[in-house]
Amino acid sequence: SRGGSSVRDFPSFFSLNSRLQELPASLVSLSQLRILKVGHNKLVSLPPNFGSLKTLEILDLTGNRLNETILT
């Protein structure tokens, strides 16, 4: 048995076409997050410290209302 795994152990988060208006700030605590697909929602910003997701390999933010300056 693997023992108790916590939500922090999950390597991916998907929420496509679900009308999300914001990502939870706690998302940045997912230290093993490798895939984040949240395309075609209603996101206008990213949580503070979003850049601290060092293990993130695939990011899909297409079809949201993000201000392009936050991604630079």
Side-chain angles (χ1 to χ4, degrees):
S1 141
R2 236 185 93 152
S5 54
S6 73
V7 71
R8 293 178 185 196
D9 296 330
F10 290 101
S12 59
F13 180 86
F14 296 87
S15 186
L16 305 170
N17 294 309
S18 59
R19 300 181 185 206
L20 276 180
Q21 294 182 345
E22 64 182 30
L23 293 173
S26 60
L27 185 78
V28 298
S29 70
L30 300 176
S31 59
Q32 301 302 313
L33 188 66
R34 291 181 41 230
I35 302 169
L36 178 60
K37 291 191 175 191
V38 289
H40 304 284
N41 283 289
K42 296 183 177 186
L43 300 174
V44 294
S45 64
L46 298 174
N49 299 322
F50 186 78
S52 68
L53 293 170
K54 302 296 184 197
T55 58
L56 196 60
E57 296 175 6
I58 298 171
L59 174 62
D60 178 7
L61 297 169
T62 57
N64 283 289
R65 300 176 180 171
L66 294 168
N67 179 338
E68 67 183 66
T69 60
I70 65 169
L71 299 175
T72 57

